[in-house]
Amino acid sequence: MLIYLHGLNSSNQSHKAGVLHERLAPSRVLVPSYPAHRPDAAIAKLSDFFRGLREEQPPIVVGSSMGGFYAQYLARQFTFAHLFLINPALTPWDLLRGFEGTSQTTAYGETYIIGRDLIESTRKYGVDTPCDGVPTTLFLDQGDEVIDFRIAESLYRDCGRLLIFKGGDHEFQHLEEAIAVIGEEVTKD
């Protein structure tokens, strides 16, 4: 089973979620709905989701952008067969500071302001030392205009499989290449 965690203003109906469903069929792909713009509520809802899984095998988890941040944290709370991160926002307390005071609208239509409380509430879910044995693959576009790929590269240099692509952007233009790698993990016996 594969679980996909969407990014900050995205939803469980995102383009990446649809492509994963389509390209990895007939494998089971679950995409939970959660409020990615409210860190405490996001972690609570996702924790309930993972606690509620009744599978014999640990899931494969793919997290994109802020979903990658949450997935990295949750991989330390639950057992994942493999963690895949796509252009992950691993230090949102730094990233979101550049957007402080701006109004955002989620794919669900909810409007919110990026404020100090939201930014600071992400810190408790950060993972300082990700080299703890969680099998992790990162897909990074060097051209990501929102998140500097070098942050994830430096954090996972000694313990993750890094697939870094020239060009691209935050939307991640190398999804087909990533799905080929994820598919290998999904079809392992």
Side-chain angles (χ1 to χ4, degrees):
M1 173 191 352
L2 183 135
I3 296 164
Y4 174 72
L5 302 183
H6 64 76
L8 185 62
N9 289 329
S10 192
S11 77
N12 61 346
Q13 300 297 311
S14 74
H15 171 73
K16 286 184 196 85
V19 173
L20 286 167
H21 271 291
E22 178 185 306
R23 300 276 282 114
L24 297 175
S27 296
R28 193 165 163 212
V29 177
L30 301 178
V31 187
S33 177
Y34 68 97
H37 64 291
R38 295 194 327 252
D40 293 334
I43 290 296
K45 187 153 188 174
L46 290 170
S47 293
D48 287 346
F49 171 82
F50 282 105
R51 268 192 296 278
L53 291 178
R54 301 285 184 241
E55 298 295 317
E56 292 179 22
Q57 301 292 329
I60 294 166
V61 177
V62 178
S64 180
S65 189
M66 196 67 176
F69 173 71
Y70 293 134
Q72 176 188 246
Y73 172 81
L74 292 163
R76 275 73 194 172
Q77 313 306 310
F78 300 93
T79 302
F80 294 170
H82 200 98
L83 176 61
F84 291 98
L85 302 176
I86 299 172
N87 286 344
L90 300 181
T91 56
W93 48 88
D94 291 329
L95 172 67
L96 294 174
R97 194 175 303 133
F99 297 93
E100 189 170 359
T102 64
S103 177
Q104 303 283 315
T105 303
T106 70
Y108 301 111
E110 183 178 350
T111 300
Y112 67 100
I113 302 287
I114 295 180
R116 182 167 304 280
D117 289 345
L118 183 155
I119 293 168
E120 289 305 313
S121 69
T122 64
R123 287 187 185 275
K124 63 185 152 203
Y125 304 114
V127 175
D128 294 330
T129 52
C131 297
D132 59 3
V134 174
T136 305
T137 300
L138 288 89
F139 303 105
L140 307 170
D141 267 355
Q142 288 181 338
D144 187 333
E145 72 282 7
V146 177
I147 300 170
D148 186 341
F149 79 95
R150 294 172 294 189
I151 296 167
E153 179 186 34
S154 77
L155 286 169
Y156 280 91
R157 169 179 295 125
D158 298 326
C159 58
R161 179 180 178 194
L162 297 168
L163 298 171
I164 303 172
F165 301 94
K166 291 193 182 299
D169 54 30
H170 189 63
E171 188 177 322
F172 191 66
Q173 298 304 312
H174 297 91
L175 190 55
E176 287 303 318
E177 292 93 326
I179 288 174
V181 173
I182 294 166
E184 290 173 8
E185 189 67 31
V186 168
T187 58
K188 268 187 188 177
D189 288 331

